[in-house]
PDB file of all heavy atoms in Angstrom:
ATOM      1  N   GLU A 160      25.955 -12.715 -16.641  1.00 96.00           N
ATOM      2  CA  GLU A 160      24.459 -12.382 -16.658  1.00 96.00           C
ATOM      3  C   GLU A 160      24.129 -11.358 -17.660  1.00 96.00           C
ATOM      4  O   GLU A 160      23.009 -11.438 -18.299  1.00 96.00           O
ATOM      5  CB  GLU A 160      23.914 -12.025 -15.249  1.00 96.00           C
ATOM      6  CG  GLU A 160      24.072 -13.149 -14.255  1.00 96.00           C
ATOM      7  CD  GLU A 160      23.494 -14.482 -14.828  1.00 96.00           C
ATOM      8  OE1 GLU A 160      22.326 -14.486 -15.389  1.00 96.00           O
ATOM      9  OE2 GLU A 160      24.250 -15.577 -14.785  1.00 96.00           O
ATOM     10  N   THR A 161      25.033 -10.420 -17.927  1.00 98.00           N
ATOM     11  CA  THR A 161      24.809  -9.540 -19.070  1.00 98.00           C
ATOM     12  C   THR A 161      24.671 -10.236 -20.308  1.00 98.00           C
ATOM     13  O   THR A 161      23.910  -9.963 -21.228  1.00 98.00           O
ATOM     14  CB  THR A 161      25.905  -8.397 -19.054  1.00 98.00           C
ATOM     15  OG1 THR A 161      25.987  -7.871 -17.803  1.00 98.00           O
ATOM     16  CG2 THR A 161      25.609  -7.275 -19.973  1.00 98.00           C
ATOM     17  N   LEU A 162      25.650 -11.200 -20.589  1.00 98.00           N
ATOM     18  CA  LEU A 162      25.585 -11.972 -21.747  1.00 98.00           C
ATOM     19  C   LEU A 162      24.324 -12.734 -21.848  1.00 98.00           C
ATOM     20  O   LEU A 162      23.676 -12.707 -22.893  1.00 98.00           O
ATOM     21  CB  LEU A 162      26.787 -12.949 -21.703  1.00 98.00           C
ATOM     22  CG  LEU A 162      26.860 -13.892 -22.877  1.00 98.00           C
ATOM     23  CD1 LEU A 162      27.024 -13.252 -24.171  1.00 98.00           C
ATOM     24  CD2 LEU A 162      27.970 -15.035 -22.685  1.00 98.00           C
ATOM     25  N   ARG A 163      23.849 -13.383 -20.801  1.00 98.00           N
ATOM     26  CA  ARG A 163      22.600 -14.126 -20.826  1.00 98.00           C
ATOM     27  C   ARG A 163      21.550 -13.210 -21.357  1.00 98.00           C
ATOM     28  O   ARG A 163      20.709 -13.676 -22.224  1.00 98.00           O
ATOM     29  CB  ARG A 163      22.240 -14.663 -19.451  1.00 98.00           C
ATOM     30  CG  ARG A 163      21.172 -15.740 -19.371  1.00 98.00           C
ATOM     31  CD  ARG A 163      20.761 -16.147 -17.922  1.00 98.00           C
ATOM     32  NE  ARG A 163      21.873 -16.825 -17.246  1.00 98.00           N
ATOM     33  CZ  ARG A 163      22.140 -18.151 -17.297  1.00 98.00           C
ATOM     34  NH1 ARG A 163      21.377 -18.863 -18.138  1.00 98.00           N
ATOM     35  NH2 ARG A 163      23.171 -18.685 -16.718  1.00 98.00           N
ATOM     36  N   ALA A 164      21.407 -12.017 -20.772  1.00 98.00           N
ATOM     37  CA  ALA A 164      20.333 -11.122 -21.211  1.00 98.00           C
ATOM     38  C   ALA A 164      20.501 -10.718 -22.658  1.00 98.00           C
ATOM     39  O   ALA A 164      19.444 -10.346 -23.210  1.00 98.00           O
ATOM     40  CB  ALA A 164      20.362  -9.765 -20.281  1.00 98.00           C
ATOM     41  N   ALA A 165      21.643 -10.718 -23.207  1.00 98.00           N
ATOM     42  CA  ALA A 165      21.809 -10.340 -24.563  1.00 98.00           C
ATOM     43  C   ALA A 165      21.465 -11.401 -25.621  1.00 98.00           C
ATOM     44  O   ALA A 165      21.266 -10.975 -26.882  1.00 98.00           O
ATOM     45  CB  ALA A 165      23.346  -9.832 -24.759  1.00 98.00           C
ATOM     46  N   VAL A 166      21.500 -12.582 -25.179  1.00 98.00           N
ATOM     47  CA  VAL A 166      21.170 -13.685 -26.202  1.00 98.00           C
ATOM     48  C   VAL A 166      19.689 -13.662 -26.557  1.00 98.00           C
ATOM     49  O   VAL A 166      18.868 -13.510 -25.628  1.00 98.00           O
ATOM     50  CB  VAL A 166      21.646 -15.082 -25.589  1.00 98.00           C
ATOM     51  CG1 VAL A 166      21.208 -16.184 -26.524  1.00 98.00           C
ATOM     52  CG2 VAL A 166      23.062 -15.078 -25.330  1.00 98.00           C
ATOM     53  N   THR A 167      19.491 -13.815 -27.873  1.00 98.00           N
ATOM     54  CA  THR A 167      18.007 -13.861 -28.347  1.00 98.00           C
ATOM     55  C   THR A 167      17.947 -15.058 -29.273  1.00 98.00           C
ATOM     56  O   THR A 167      19.116 -15.694 -29.696  1.00 98.00           O
ATOM     57  CB  THR A 167      17.571 -12.692 -29.181  1.00 98.00           C
ATOM     58  OG1 THR A 167      18.212 -12.685 -30.366  1.00 98.00           O
ATOM     59  CG2 THR A 167      17.977 -11.327 -28.418  1.00 98.00           C
ATOM     60  N   PRO A 168      16.805 -15.453 -29.792  1.00 98.00           N
ATOM     61  CA  PRO A 168      16.647 -16.544 -30.793  1.00 98.00           C
ATOM     62  C   PRO A 168      17.537 -16.281 -32.028  1.00 98.00           C
ATOM     63  O   PRO A 168      17.850 -17.084 -32.807  1.00 98.00           O
ATOM     64  CB  PRO A 168      15.257 -16.651 -31.103  1.00 98.00           C
ATOM     65  CG  PRO A 168      14.579 -16.045 -29.900  1.00 98.00           C
ATOM     66  CD  PRO A 168      15.491 -14.995 -29.400  1.00 98.00           C
ATOM     67  N   LYS A 169      17.853 -14.927 -32.278  1.00 98.00           N
ATOM     68  CA  LYS A 169      18.581 -14.597 -33.444  1.00 98.00           C
ATOM     69  C   LYS A 169      20.144 -14.638 -33.180  1.00 98.00           C
ATOM     70  O   LYS A 169      20.944 -14.287 -34.213  1.00 98.00           O
ATOM     71  CB  LYS A 169      18.187 -13.235 -33.913  1.00 98.00           C
ATOM     72  CG  LYS A 169      16.885 -13.224 -34.654  1.00 98.00           C
ATOM     73  CD  LYS A 169      16.594 -11.985 -35.339  1.00 98.00           C
ATOM     74  CE  LYS A 169      15.481 -12.002 -36.377  1.00 98.00           C
ATOM     75  NZ  LYS A 169      15.700 -12.822 -37.459  1.00 98.00           N
TER      76      LYS A 169
END
Side-chain angles (χ1 to χ4, degrees):
E160 290 318 308
T161 308
L162 175 65
R163 190 185 296 277
V166 175
T167 77
K169 284 192 165 296

